[in-house]
Amino acid sequence: MSNPIRLFKTGTLLIVATVVACAGVTLPTVAQEKIAVAVLMSNAGDPYFANKSYGYQVYANEDEGIELEFFNAGGYDKLEVQIRQIENAITREVDVMLVTPIDAKGVCPAVKEAIDAGIVVVADDTGIACNFKVPLFVTENSNQTGFQQCKFLAEYIGGQGGLVAMWGAAGPAHIRRRQEGCLEALKLFPDVKLLDGQHSGHGVEDGLKLTENFLTAHGDNLKAIYSAGSVLADGAARALQGAGYQPGDIPLVGIDMTEQSIKMMNDGWFQGMQPAQPVRLAYLLTKYGVALARGQSVPGQSVFDCCERVLLTTDYFVVTPEIFKTFPTDLALAPPGWAPPI
């Protein structure tokens, strides 16, 4: 006589377990298929993603029930490449997509196709801005990141003088929120004037060229530089050095902790860093994306229109050289030599 057949729903996989008690014979339980997770990165060449990719892998090493695959669009201007990668993942019937979109709106048609196919889509760090909601968004508090950096810079220059801004790429939602936070902070300092602000790429050369242009246009009126990322700030520091400035003459704050940004701070070119904790962020994205695929509940609140649930990290403060002496780096930095397995 057989026990009743029991059905379990795990993501998109139906598992059937049949137990036969007759004559003491028990049929083996059908093995549970693994949850397929696709990680869609915008630019794996950015040091931030080298660190972040380690966090996805850390969770994959802990959970034997998943298979992880990385996709790299290859640059912040490669929207069409990323769309093709999303469509490829849909065709392969993955269970979870962790999407760092190149353009918050440009990926919407492909993301909608994935959701309609029953795939759990998690907005990864930068956010997705569509006319429908994705199940989960895990990110830094980008508004506070921008706010705290510009507040720090304004205070550093004594609450008066000219500030210029390298806003970063125009497409990602988190860059826009950082910009909004910076502008909110500057309202607290009426004697700090925003002299100029421009969008750009995120490379060292972008930061170098922008800063050279800012110095030419504003000269001695320029007292501080806002940067949307550590790589841009690195370029700014090189431009300042080339123009004859000394470390600390014009303050810089890096966003994202990397070996290079740590060096820039130790050398005095960065007056602080905002660590971002990409390892922790990627770990949580993978963990909770997989949990949703398994039908499990996840934490979070509906604080943005884009998403059913949002988890905000709290690492938006500025780490100064003094704070860094005792600051834990394991949630922000991958081990030396680590590279995304692409």
Side-chain angles (χ1 to χ4, degrees):
M1 182 176 179
S2 299
N3 288 340
I5 294 177
R6 305 175 67 187
L7 303 180
F8 300 87
K9 190 72 168 65
T10 306
T12 59
L13 306 175
L14 188 63
I15 312 304
V16 181
T18 305
V19 181
V20 181
C22 182
V25 177
T26 301
L27 295 180
T29 302
V30 177
Q32 177 176 330
E33 294 187 43
K34 291 189 175 183
I35 301 284
V37 181
V39 178
L40 293 120
M41 296 185 289
S42 53
N43 185 13
D46 190 317
Y48 170 76
F49 284 101
N51 291 321
K52 191 177 178 185
S53 66
Y54 181 68
Y56 304 117
Q57 192 63 53
V58 169
Y59 181 78
N61 292 344
E62 295 179 2
D63 189 336
E64 296 180 354
I66 73 170
E67 291 181 344
L68 197 63
E69 186 171 7
F70 292 82
F71 295 84
N72 173 34
Y76 297 106
D77 58 345
K78 306 293 185 183
L79 177 60
E80 292 303 318
V81 175
Q82 186 169 70
I83 289 174
R84 288 197 298 271
Q85 291 175 340
I86 294 173
E87 291 172 343
N88 179 30
I90 294 170
T91 301
R92 296 166 66 172
E93 299 183 341
V94 303
D95 301 292
V96 180
M97 285 186 189
L98 310 178
V99 183
T100 305
I102 289 171
D103 187 286
K105 294 182 179 179
V107 297
C108 289
V111 167
K112 182 64 164 59
E113 184 180 350
I115 291 175
D116 289 346
I119 297 170
V120 173
V121 176
V122 182
D124 185 340
D125 191 22
T126 63
I128 295 173
C130 305
N131 60 1
F132 57 86
K133 292 187 176 185
V134 299
L136 180 64
F137 178 25
V138 184
T139 184
E140 66 178 42
N141 191 330
S142 299
N143 184 279
Q144 277 296 308
T145 297
F147 183 96
Q148 292 297 331
Q149 181 178 161
C150 282
K151 179 175 180 290
F152 177 90
L153 291 171
E155 291 174 344
Y156 193 92
I157 61 176
Q160 58 184 1
L163 179 145
V164 296
M166 300 186 291
W167 296 129
H174 77 298
I175 295 296
R176 172 179 51 79
R177 287 194 291 270
R178 287 178 182 177
Q179 178 180 348
E180 292 169 351
C182 173
L183 295 174
E184 289 173 15
L186 293 182
K187 292 177 183 177
L188 303 177
F189 301 90
D191 293 328
V192 175
K193 182 180 179 182
L194 179 63
L195 300 174
D196 203 347
Q198 294 185 30
H199 290 285
S200 68
H202 279 272
V204 172
E205 285 298 316
D206 297 303
L208 187 150
K209 291 177 181 178
L210 264 180
T211 302
E212 288 177 341
N213 292 340
F214 287 147
L215 289 171
T216 299
H218 304 291
D220 292 340
N221 292 324
L222 196 163
K223 302 300 182 184
I225 301 175
Y226 166 87
S227 169
S230 289
V231 178
L232 276 173
D234 186 352
R238 297 182 193 205
L240 293 174
Q241 187 174 17
Y245 288 87
Q246 296 299 310
D249 286 349
I250 295 181
L252 291 163
V253 173
I255 300 177
D256 303 330
M257 187 177 291
T258 66
E259 295 296 339
Q260 178 63 11
S261 65
I262 292 171
K263 180 180 184 302
M264 298 301 287
M265 188 170 71
N266 288 338
D267 291 345
W269 288 105
F270 288 5
Q271 280 57 61
M273 279 187 300
Q274 294 173 279
Q277 297 188 347
V279 174
R280 174 174 176 260
L281 180 66
Y283 180 95
L284 294 175
L285 281 155
T286 314
K287 175 180 178 178
Y288 290 127
V290 170
L292 286 174
R294 289 173 172 157
Q296 300 169 354
S297 61
V298 301
Q301 298 177 341
S302 181
V303 296
F304 297 137
D305 292 338
C306 68
C307 317
E308 294 174 8
R309 289 184 176 275
V310 178
L311 287 175
L312 295 176
T313 59
T314 57
D315 51 333
Y316 46 79
F317 56 92
V318 177
V319 175
T320 63
E322 185 62 29
I323 294 173
F324 184 71
K325 293 177 182 178
T326 57
F327 187 82
T329 62
D330 58 314
L331 297 180
L333 288 175
W338 168 263
I342 297 174

